[in-house]
Amino acid sequence: MTTTMSLAALGALSGCTGGSTASGKAGSKDTLTLAMSQDIQGWDPTSQPAYQGWGASAVYDSLFRCDALGKPQPAAAKSWTFKSDNTGVTVHLHPGMKFSDGTPVNAAAVKASIEYAKKHGGSAARFAPMTVTTPDDLTVVISETTPNPLLALRLCEVKMASPKYLASGKTNKAPVGSGPYTLDQAATTSGSVYTFTKNNTYWDTKSYPYKKLVIKVITNETAAINALKTGQIDGTLVTQATYSQAKASGMKIQSVKSQVTRMLITDHLGKKIPALGSLDVRRAMNMVFDKEALSKNLYRGLANPTAQIFRGGTDAYIKGLKDPYPYDVDAAKKLMAKAGYAKGFDLEVPFLAGQNLDSLMPVIKQQLGLINIKVKQVTLSGPNAITELLSGKYPVPFWQLGNYGDSRQDITDYLLPDGIWNVEHQKDATVAKLWKKILSDTPEQSVKDQQALNRYVVDQAWFVPLAETGMFYAYNPKINIRPSTDPGGLHPVLRDFQ
């Protein structure tokens, strides 16, 4: 999930070194300085977004690190053995690890972190089925009663924190983790700059070569580009609008085609908005968008038209899929009339500014208006914006969502009834049947069943996919960034900066 909260923090940018080295310059040997377009919304380990989550990655460790394809790599877990039926894993921890308050990172602490994740945060349902036992101080056994092929991915998400800290009820004030860095509160100003110092006792210090990490909150993209060009920061996310500017200024750019801009028609049973229960209406909504023109003009040629929500190259992706809903406004009008909605209906669409969707929202209004769907933009803001967006109040979210290297993760987020982005949480017998098979499939059969599930939701027009795009990360050529190992393909993760 990608999130960007707008905050008025630009005034503190100019000349701010945020506790960097004596030179105060980005690109120095000892300090890595990154821009972040959203503020850190507290430090509770269960409310840390994957998008621009460098601060959380600095202070918290997890059991596993997941690579670009979602495969587990060592983190707090030194070694592990998964059950062949995907119902559990036995984990062995590195000895001698400690949280920043001096308490040990042991089996009891891992259990406390998972138990906390089961009861807090928007993803609690993901961890609820987990049972944790601790045979000894360095061994953790995690079990589920039904097969879960995404168990490793889920455990990559659990941020481990000191049990004392979790029990304190004050988890948003300052983090107490066991990550590669610790927060330097004296050199930190909330909403402006966050400074971290290297944890030299971390089990894998070599993967984090910088002595200091500085994160500057810069909510305006032009200001971020200028900060990069003038050496105030080492890297920032850019959009298609500023891609050429960053390139022309001599910056390096890493890109991954890993996102699909889409409308999610989660009320496909028509319980809140009866018209959305009509397949003809959902198909008509797809047919009013000229995806080729969108990719060429609004995305400046840095996107591709697409008819499916999955990332190219993943198991669920159908190579060469022909768009079943080509641009044809007249045909869309006929479908609306056939469904009994020639006069259209009202539709509230939630919107958050600064998400690279600002130029697309007028297009959404205009094109759906051609079939008399009257779109009312509902602008969400503040700390509860994402909670409201996912609450189900608005059954057709509009978002540019990242797609995982393991498409089963996308299925759980977008298609299953308890999926985070399936905000109406409506059940479907075909989806349930195919998912049950996928849970215990061989790898070869899983590909076939995931593609069958993809084809089904395309045929049912559960989504209005508009463009396959991705992340563009511009950075100072003086630093080195490995190809992103983020399983969501959102941007380089902290360990990728070398």
Side-chain angles (χ1 to χ4, degrees), residues 315-354:
D315 287 348
Y317 184 82
I318 302 172
K319 189 176 181 180
L321 176 68
K322 185 178 180 180
D323 193 339
Y325 314 115
Y327 176 55
D328 191 333
V329 176
D330 288 337
K333 289 179 178 178
K334 290 177 182 178
L335 285 174
M336 292 291 286
K338 177 186 172 186
Y341 291 98
K343 295 183 178 180
F345 56 94
D346 295 336
L347 179 64
E348 289 187 326
V349 176
F351 178 79
L352 274 72

Side-chain angles (χ1 to χ4, degrees), residues 79-83 88-92 139-142:
S79 62
W80 56 85
T81 303
F82 281 90
K83 290 185 178 180
V89 60
T90 298
V91 173
H92 302 285
T139 304
V140 183
V141 178
I142 302 162

Side-chain angles (χ1 to χ4, degrees), residues 150-183:
L150 295 174
L151 183 58
L153 269 169
R154 296 295 180 243
L155 294 174
C156 286
E157 297 171 4
V158 176
K159 305 289 190 297
M160 296 193 308
S162 162
K164 291 182 180 179
Y165 169 66
L166 295 176
S168 71
K170 300 178 181 179
T171 54
N172 273 317
K173 289 191 174 181
V176 183
S178 58
Y181 292 88
T182 57
L183 180 67

Side-chain angles (χ1 to χ4, degrees), residues 213-359:
L213 167 68
V214 178
I215 297 176
K216 295 182 178 182
V217 181
I218 310 177
T219 60
N220 179 279
E221 188 173 351
T222 299
I225 287 290
N226 288 335
L228 181 61
K229 291 163 65 176
T230 56
Q232 296 180 66
I233 59 173
D234 289 311
T236 183
L237 282 162
V238 297
T239 65
Q240 293 83 1
T242 54
Y243 178 96
S244 296
Q245 183 182 353
K247 195 82 171 176
S249 66
M251 300 299 147
K252 288 188 175 182
I253 298 180
Q254 183 179 125
S255 62
V256 178
K257 279 277 173 63
S258 56
Q259 300 170 357
V260 173
T261 304
R262 71 196 83 169
M263 299 181 74
L264 300 90
I265 307 176
T266 68
D267 187 19
H268 35 78
L269 297 181
K271 291 184 176 181
K272 279 196 171 179
I273 302 176
L276 297 180
S278 167
L279 177 56
D280 286 329
V281 168
R282 299 195 301 270
R283 288 175 172 171
M285 291 172 68
N286 273 269
M287 295 177 72
V288 296
F289 294 100
D290 186 343
K291 298 176 185 178
E292 292 278 357
L294 285 175
S295 295
K296 180 180 179 180
N297 299 322
L298 285 182
Y299 282 98
R300 293 170 168 79
L302 296 171
N304 298 320
T306 186
Q308 53 191 313
I309 64 167
F310 295 97
R311 192 202 298 188
T314 61
D315 287 348
Y317 184 82
I318 302 172
K319 189 176 181 180
L321 176 68
K322 185 178 180 180
D323 193 339
Y325 314 115
Y327 176 55
D328 191 333
V329 176
D330 288 337
K333 289 179 178 178
K334 290 177 182 178
L335 285 174
M336 292 291 286
K338 177 186 172 186
Y341 291 98
K343 295 183 178 180
F345 56 94
D346 295 336
L347 179 64
E348 289 187 326
V349 176
F351 178 79
L352 274 72
Q355 295 291 324
N356 197 26
L357 299 175
D358 302 71
S359 61

